[in-house]
Amino acid sequence: MSELAALRSEIRAFIHEELAQQRFTAHCDSWLTSFDPDFSARLGERGLIGLMIPIQFGGRGLGVAERLVVSEELLAAGAPVAAHWFAERQFAPSIVRHGTPSQQAEWLPRVTRGKAWIAIGLSEADAGSDLAAIRTRAEQVDGGWAITGAKLWSSGAHTAHAIVVLARTGAQRHEGLTQFIVRLPNAGVQIRPIPLISGEHHFNEVAFDHAFIPDSDVLGPIGNGWTQAMQELAFERAGPERYLSTLPLLQELLSGLGPDAESASELGRCIAEITSFRAINQRVVEHLATGQTSAIDIPMLKSLGTSFEQRTVQIALDLVADSSRTAPPITAAQGLLREAQFQSPGFSIRGGTNEVLRGIISKGLTR
Amino acid sequence: MSTLDWSQTPERLALAATLLAMCDGSDERLIRALDDAGIPWIGIPEADAGSGGDDGDLAAALRLLAGQARSSSLAETGFIGGWALRQCGHAEPDSHLAPAFDIGTDATAIERDGAWFISGHASNVPGVAHASLVLIPVLISERWQLAAIPIDQAEIVAHANLAGESRAELHFSNAKAAFLLPIASDLGWIDLHARLGLARAIQISGALLAVRDMTVQYARTREQFGKPIAELQAVAHLLAAIAEQALLAEAAVATAINSPTSWNCAIAKSVASRAARSASAAAHQVHGAMGMSLEYPLGSLTTRLWSWAEEGGRPEAWEHWIGQRFMQQDRPNLWESIVNAMEGADR
Ligand SMILES: Cc1cc2nc3c(=O)[nH]c(=O)nc-3n(C[C@H](O)[C@H](O)[C@H](O)COP(=O)(O)OP(=O)(O)OC[C@H]3O[C@@H](n4cnc5c(N)ncnc54)[C@H](O)[C@@H]3O)c2cc1C
């Protein structure tokens, strides 16, 4: 068995075990919405978080292909990975690349144990697609920095141990930005929920009023924040979470169909497309590993994949009767469809809207 | 511009490219030059008087030609016909082949005095103009066999696809086969059809890259309202959409080349065909009236895309086949099927 195949068996065995013990049920968009610290901890105990983190920090020191195997298996299973997802996906690589030795020693082992939950503090009220317009600022004070301003849409900030904040430390549009690890709670930080259209609480407004950050929690060099944030965004955009968010719904739909179902064609098309996204993904992560983060394949994959995810919701609406039903009993398919539908507008918004991505793609093409 | 990695021998590709440039304008000359260089017989071992190399080499050459909207017999004689013969254990470089593997083909065989006689018809057969042998699948005692019939034994109604590429309706009545061979036991008509589909998918992926580049180039140079139309966001997004579809088609095709099961061929054909349809529409939109002019090179690519999308199985048909095959499994698991198929397991 190849090493990748062995790893795939390992993660599948873990997932089967969890399912057999009824420790989780599959959900759509689980990487954003299914928060289960115990699951993350058990996954961490098996050494299945942070495969690329160097061995001396508790990881396995493996490559992008190995990491992709584990991520895609977890997402396909709809496993509750939200607690540690951002920490593993973008915080850890950033710490490996830009962190001080003491930041690495503190955070990386914690990430691999599934015990570091990190929120992303990029967007603001007036800085969405135009991210460089951010106004949250950090002023140098004795022994550190004081941050003032507000971040918006910060997923999981209410449960996070820290939020990585991109803040203004200078006037220049890009070079005036720096990243800070803001530990939570912090006397100068207030977190207010922003309920979603489903009524659920996943993202937040995070307000900073002269929140003190010690020098030791500055991430990377002063003025390097934009570059780092763009690197993180590349990791964020390049994963299977951009086409597998609704896979649990598709799988559930199947169980209600016979082999001669008229919808076999729709299903066949989904299989064909997911296969192609996977093929692109396998190559894209290789690019990331070699530092070619400007490759327009990444935004192309995200734009294609999220459009697909949204289409699967439409397919499901055709197939699932009574999908807007709110009174119990609700079938598994109805439940998954509902959560997918509630989340679906965000597929093509979060992490960069599809319009913005297409702008990046066309710039890359016409440059 | 990045492309998915296909195994290929760069020298052969360079040779094909040189020939292509030398034979600018004349498809007849190009076909002869490719023949002389042995390009259609890539994939047949040199020990068997072929040109060596593998599927990836042939695919790369096929893609190159498609990107230049050139017609040749490379797909028919090499990638489809030559491959089919090899599945019957026959690996000699023959003359040119016309594989009758598309839908609408129906033939029967009877044996008389040790020879086989074929009756029936074949639809939309490519390569007839240059072929000396037609390859047609026949079912004999529930086993698929491949009959090779000399072209002069067929009644031919020649026509052409939307791009003017030679296609023909063939009728046979007691046509004497040159030879008849059993196809590898795990293969049947659908696998030959899928191979035709993969060839067209490869050609589509090559043409899509060319359409992408041509359209980007046009949008950068065509000016309206005092600036290149590429700077208009609506146009820029069309360019991005074309590039996305080209990438998608290429990824699907690469998967099938790496692991050429009929399942993966079906995926490649359906994804590439849908990409062909949507990207050709977007490319025409960007080009305005210019794209509809016969003289402008876009049309020779898009008409091919339109035809290739339908030949060798339309996307709807392959999607149905994939979906049904998937559902017929014992406990169909979407994710595991996808992973297994890509790794070439059990399909
Ligand atoms: C579920 C969810 C979770 C999120 N989690 C986080 C998080 O954890 N941390 C965080 O920092 N942010 C998070 N975000 C915010 C996300 O990054 C932003 O929503 C995104 O960057 C878009 O910004 P905006 O919402 O302000 O939209 P806007 O930028 O105001 O865009 C509105 C519309 O205008 C279009 N538009 C804007 N600019 C252009 C342009 N140049 N060309 C063409 N069209 C354009 C957009 O495509 C969109 O259709 C999350 C968002 C969602 C939906």
Side-chain angles (χ1 to χ4, degrees), chain A residues 14-15 18-19 23-27 29-43 74-75 77-85:
Chain A
F14 172 78
I15 290 168
E18 292 282 308
L19 284 171
R23 282 172 162 160
F24 80 87
T25 47
H27 284 288
D29 216 22
S30 67
W31 60 276
L32 198 70
T33 58
S34 296
F35 178 85
D36 181 348
D38 295 336
F39 180 91
S40 294
R42 288 193 297 273
L43 192 65
L74 287 166
L75 294 172
V81 292
H84 70 271
W85 197 255

Side-chain angles (χ1 to χ4, degrees), chain A residues 8 12 16 72-73 76 244 247 250-251 254 257-262 264-265 267-280 282-283 287 296-297 299-301 303-304 355 358-359 361-362 364-367, chain B residues 1-5 212 216 219-220 230 233 236-237 239-241 243-245 247-248 250-252 255 263-264 266-267 270-271 274 316 318-320 322-324 326-328 332-336 338-340 342-343:
Chain A
R8 195 179 298 284
R12 281 189 182 171
H16 286 160
E72 66 179 4
E73 288 294 332
L244 293 182
L247 196 100
L250 287 176
Q251 177 61 41
L254 289 174
L257 300 177
D260 296 321
E262 262 179 60
S265 304
L267 186 64
R269 185 173 172 191
C270 291
I271 291 173
E273 292 186 9
I274 296 170
T275 300
S276 311
F277 298 143
R278 251 191 112 221
I280 299 173
Q282 288 172 346
R283 187 173 55 133
H287 275 179
I296 58 172
D297 290 358
M300 288 202 280
L301 174 60
S303 153
L304 284 165
E355 290 74 25
R358 288 191 160 178
I361 296 161
S362 59
L365 287 168
T366 54
R367 188 176 289 134
Chain B
M1 189 59 50
S2 56
T3 51
L4 292 175
D5 303 324
R212 178 196 67 190
V216 165
R220 287 167 65 171
Q233 197 171 52
H237 286 195
L239 298 179
E244 287 174 6
Q245 293 304 314
L247 177 69
L248 194 61
E250 201 175 3
T255 302
W263 174 272
N264 286 338
I267 287 175
S270 64
V271 168
R274 285 197 183 275
E316 293 79 4
W318 281 123
E319 285 156 5
H320 191 74
I322 295 165
Q324 286 222 311
F326 171 74
M327 293 302 292
Q328 280 157 6
N333 181 304
L334 194 57
W335 180 246
E336 287 178 12
I338 289 169
V339 172
N340 289 345
M342 288 182 79
E343 265 136 51

Side-chain angles (χ1 to χ4, degrees), chain A residues 142-311:
Chain A
D142 202 18
W145 298 78
I147 296 186
T148 301
K151 292 292 172 183
L152 221 50
W153 322 122
S154 315
S155 299
H158 55 303
T159 48
H161 299 120
I163 176 168
V164 177
V165 172
L166 184 64
R168 205 150 268 301
T169 46
Q172 286 162 290
R173 193 168 145 86
H174 293 143
E175 293 76 18
L177 294 170
T178 303
Q179 277 188 318
F180 298 88
I181 305 167
V182 180
R183 292 163 197 267
L184 298 171
N186 176 310
V189 178
Q190 269 204 23
I191 301 175
R192 284 184 287 271
I194 309 176
L196 287 163
I197 47 179
S198 61
E200 289 179 14
H201 174 198
H202 294 301
F203 55 27
N204 305 273
E205 179 185 1
V206 184
F208 303 82
D209 181 10
H210 295 92
F212 176 74
I213 317 298
D215 279 322
S216 55
D217 283 344
V218 175
L219 177 54
I222 301 298
N224 200 42
W226 180 260
T227 306
Q228 291 167 206
M230 290 304 110
Q231 286 166 355
E232 287 181 26
L233 267 177
F235 284 110
E236 181 179 338
R237 288 171 178 165
E241 53 268 64
R242 304 310 179 176
Y243 52 92
L244 293 182
S245 295
T246 58
L247 196 100
L249 170 62
L250 287 176
Q251 177 61 41
E252 182 60 36
L253 287 178
L254 289 174
S255 54
L257 300 177
D260 296 321
E262 262 179 60
S263 38
S265 304
E266 285 288 9
L267 186 64
R269 185 173 172 191
C270 291
I271 291 173
E273 292 186 9
I274 296 170
T275 300
S276 311
F277 298 143
R278 251 191 112 221
I280 299 173
N281 205 166
Q282 288 172 346
R283 187 173 55 133
V284 153
V285 295
E286 293 294 343
H287 275 179
L288 262 183
T290 53
Q292 294 170 266
T293 48
S294 64
I296 58 172
D297 290 358
I298 290 174
M300 288 202 280
L301 174 60
K302 181 172 183 291
S303 153
L304 284 165
T306 55
S307 304
F308 164 80
E309 289 177 335
Q310 288 174 333
R311 198 167 60 77

Side-chain angles (χ1 to χ4, degrees), chain B residues 52-68:
Chain B
D54 63 17
D55 250 14
D57 299 328
L58 204 48
L62 209 50
R63 182 170 67 164
L64 177 78
L65 261 68
Q68 310 259 345

Side-chain angles (χ1 to χ4, degrees), chain A residues 366, chain B residues 219-220 222-223 226-236 239:
Chain A
T366 54
Chain B
R220 287 167 65 171
R222 167 73 175 166
E223 293 195 3
K227 59 183 174 189
I229 57 170
E231 288 174 24
L232 303 168
Q233 197 171 52
V235 174
L239 298 179

Side-chain angles (χ1 to χ4, degrees), chain A residues 89-155:
Chain A
R89 179 178 72 189
Q90 58 211 91
F91 178 65
S94 213
I95 294 283
V96 168
R97 205 151 163 184
H98 306 289
T100 62
S102 72
Q103 286 170 346
Q104 293 176 339
E106 176 188 358
W107 287 106
L108 295 178
R110 244 180 108 177
V111 170
T112 64
R113 291 199 306 273
K115 305 253 177 182
W117 312 335
I118 305 293
I120 304 165
L122 294 173
S123 306
E124 296 181 6
D126 293 325
S129 300
D130 184 10
L131 184 58
I134 61 175
R135 278 189 280 199
T136 295
R137 63 180 200 280
E139 282 159 348
Q140 206 147 18
V141 293
D142 202 18
W145 298 78
I147 296 186
T148 301
K151 292 292 172 183
L152 221 50
W153 322 122
S154 315
S155 299

